[in-house]
Amino acid sequence: MTELSNLQFDAQHLWHPYSSVKNPPLLHEVISAEGVYLTLDDGRKIIDGMSSWWSAIHGYAHPRLNAAAKAQLDQMSHVMFGGLTHDPAVSLARRLIAMTDASLQHVFLADSGSVSVEVAIKMAIQYWFAQGKTDKQQLLSLRGGYHGDTFGAMAVCDPVNGMHSHFAKVLPQHLFAPTPTCREDAHWQDSDIAAMRSLIEANHHQLAAVIVEPLVQGAGGMRFYCPQYLRELRSLCDQHNVLLIFDEIATGFGRTGHLFAYEAAGIVPDILCLGKALTGGYMTLAATLCQSKVAEGIAADGQGILMHGPTFMGNPLACRVACESIDILLESNWQQQVLSIEHQLNTELSDLSAHSLVKDVRVKGAIGVVELTISVEPFMAWLPAFIVEQGVWIRPFGALIYIMPPYIISTEQLSQLTMAIKAIVNKVSESVKS
Ligand SMILES: *Cc1c(COP(=O)(O)O)cnc(C)c1O
């Protein structure tokens, strides 16, 4: 009996994100990665336009990140965080506290973005519980939002495309405001926030927190909205005693052109979730930061214990790499890199808005989005192979073809990505016509 190839074995035994064992997804096998390139098993090198789900901001196999991981491995890979502490975790907390607003003073190190959202939700509910406000256990989020795949996080994702129908009876029932529509502060109209205001006014007695992705709604639809919405939301939350959680798992660490998206609005959330680019895409780690008011509020009742503590909390290997990734970012000219990417994306993608299959072209920071008038899902049997033939890695979903490249990408490499986007649009357009 001949042994199954990796792809054959994978198809029979491995789940991939949102995949079916009956109809396994088309896959490419990666054997190594360096800079912006992924090397496939057939030797092809393709440019990663996704930064491995928005995380590998410095590119792959970065010498400093590799060295940090290797050095930490020789020291200790992991040790429990209950009753023990270590320099990698403390150093990371120092950096996160120093680089975020001065009011964010407490850090919970979580194992993934979804878990950091769970922790944020627990913080908000426990905060009110400790003040005797046991009715304040509901959350309010935005339609079109995405906050993760675990149950608590899933419950605040978009109620229509966010998997709610599968789990209706076990998901907590939360409230949803319409997707913000204002693109620029200059076009602000009070009607943009009216529905959110009504929901807060009507439900604040039950509301623990509002949770949103500031400026950019990511996996729920790659939509951008204006900072004024966030300023209005901050003041509504203050007026009505509701905490404000910003999920910056996608927007954090420079992606929008601001180190953190809340900076664009000049306001600060009570609780902040970070993940994805935290370790420069090396391994899973996330963090939930909160203001002293929240941390002290939770501690105000009898025991005041924050009820969370995963096995791999504060993993030293991940924390050390995160410290190095933050140092690389802050020592680099990331603002200029992101600005140049934004400028080039605007220049090279704008003519697509005239294409009959294109509904919208939008760019913010190092994020470029082409929204089609139709979904690409019917073409996913051949589209990934076509994309790889263009020498790039882009993963469209729904009607969206988007890229979030590593910040270190060169002008030529970025052009290759935008040319590939055009090739994809044309190819899909042809197959619609035929
Ligand atoms: C990716 C993402 C999450 C979930 O993070 P995981 O590490 O995949 O659990 C949550 N919120 C936002 C905004 C994200 O982009």
Side-chain angles (χ1 to χ4, degrees):
M1 223 177 73
T2 55
E3 212 187 328
L4 293 177
S5 73
N6 279 352
L7 286 180
Q8 288 166 330
F9 191 90
D10 187 305
Q12 290 181 17
H13 299 283
L14 268 176
W15 259 301
H16 284 261
Y18 307 98
S19 73
S20 151
V21 292
K22 208 168 128 199
N23 190 8
L26 183 71
L27 299 172
H28 296 278
E29 189 173 344
V30 180
I31 53 167
S32 67
E34 193 179 0
V36 300
Y37 289 100
L38 307 178
T39 304
L40 303 182
D41 61 339
D42 60 10
R44 281 186 292 180
K45 283 181 189 294
I46 57 176
I47 298 172
D48 183 7
M50 313 305 298
S51 304
S52 278
W53 271 334
W54 329 342
S55 59
I57 54 175
H58 310 302
Y60 298 97
H62 192 288
R64 282 178 61 183
L65 296 177
N66 286 6
K70 286 172 187 164
Q72 186 57 44
L73 202 54
D74 286 336
Q75 206 122 22
M76 67 178 160
S77 177
H78 184 66
V79 63
M80 66 189 279
F81 212 47
L84 301 173
T85 193
H86 44 78
D87 185 69
V90 177
S91 298
L92 177 56
R94 282 187 206 275
R95 282 167 175 74
L96 291 174
I97 287 170
M99 76 196 293
T100 54
D101 187 82
S103 62
L104 295 163
Q105 286 291 321
H106 298 268
V107 181
F108 189 102
L109 296 169
D111 5 23
S112 72
S114 301
V115 173
S116 79
V117 170
E118 301 286 333
V119 170
I121 293 171
K122 283 189 178 177
M123 282 179 178
I125 292 174
Q126 281 201 246
Y127 172 80
W128 295 114
F129 188 89
Q131 346 270 303
K133 304 260 172 62
T134 51
D135 282 342
K136 285 170 81 72
Q137 303 219 337
Q138 204 171 27
L139 297 156
L140 169 55
S141 70
L142 295 173
R143 288 186 183 271
Y146 177 78
H147 298 285
D149 288 355
T150 53
F151 277 85
M154 202 166 46
V156 288
C157 290
D158 183 88
V160 180
N161 68 25
M163 308 170 277
H164 288 212
S165 57
H166 290 76
F167 307 103
K169 291 219 170 104
V170 284
L171 277 188
Q173 297 299 304
H174 297 307
L175 299 169
F176 298 90
T179 302
T181 49
C182 63
R183 282 248 193 134
E184 305 287 338
D185 278 353
H187 304 137
W188 177 257
Q189 292 179 318
D190 187 66
S191 57
D192 288 329
I193 194 94
M196 171 63 92
R197 178 185 295 125
S198 308
L199 281 164
I200 294 178
E201 283 172 357
N203 298 285
H204 64 90
H205 293 298
Q206 289 104 263
L207 282 178
V210 175
I211 177 167
V212 302
E213 297 155 273
L215 289 196
V216 177
Q217 291 190 296
M222 306 304 296
R223 290 183 202 84
F224 307 151
Y225 64 97
C226 72
Q228 183 63 22
Y229 189 95
L230 301 170
R231 287 190 280 272
E232 302 277 338
L233 182 57
R234 177 72 272 184
S235 78
L236 284 170
C237 287
D238 289 340
Q239 275 167 43
H240 296 284
N241 285 321
V242 175
L243 294 178
L244 181 57
I245 303 171
F246 278 0
D247 176 350
E248 293 227 30
I249 292 166
T251 53
F253 303 103
R255 182 57 68 178
T256 66
H258 307 273
L259 191 53
F260 299 103
Y262 69 76
E263 294 175 1
I267 50 105
V268 187
D270 300 296
I271 301 173
L272 175 68
C273 297
L274 300 174
K276 288 203 161 86
L278 175 59
T279 62
Y282 265 54
M283 53 197 95
T284 180
L285 183 70
T288 313
L289 278 73
C290 74
Q291 299 207 9
S292 301
K293 167 187 124 170
V294 176
E296 282 156 22
I298 291 167
D301 81 342
Q303 295 195 329
I305 291 165
L306 179 64
M307 300 304 282
H308 211 88
T311 307
F312 286 97
M313 183 168 180
N315 174 254
L317 199 49
C319 288
R320 181 58 77 205
V321 174
C323 288
E324 197 66 22
S325 175
I326 290 169
D327 291 350
I328 294 169
L329 181 71
L330 298 182
E331 289 163 23
S332 76
N333 54 354
W334 65 269
Q335 288 102 328
Q336 192 48 51
Q337 289 171 325
V338 172
L339 207 63
S340 316
I341 293 171
E342 180 173 48
H343 183 251
Q344 193 181 341
L345 288 176
N346 270 317
T347 309
E348 295 181 4
L349 292 179
S350 64
D351 53 339
L352 271 177
S353 35
H355 198 289
S356 60
L357 198 69
V358 173
K359 187 174 166 195
D360 188 37
V361 176
R362 45 189 185 262
V363 173
K364 187 180 286 292
I367 311 171
V369 184
V370 175
E371 184 173 347
L372 305 181
T373 55
I374 57 161
S375 169
V376 298
E377 301 306 331
F379 315 113
M380 287 307 272
W382 55 264
L383 196 52
F386 175 81
I387 292 170
V388 168
E389 277 162 30
Q390 312 307 307
V392 303
W393 182 240
I394 297 174
R395 194 169 159 77
F397 73 96
L400 302 168
I401 305 168
Y402 75 97
I403 53 173
M404 290 172 89
Y407 303 164
I408 55 147
I409 196 164
S410 72
T411 315
E412 294 73 28
Q413 291 161 342
L414 188 55
S415 286
Q416 207 173 329
L417 284 172
T418 59
M419 283 189 303
I421 291 177
K422 290 178 187 175
I424 297 166
V425 174
N426 287 328
K427 185 77 180 172
V428 170
S429 179
E430 277 167 34
S431 62
V432 172
K433 283 177 196 140
S434 63

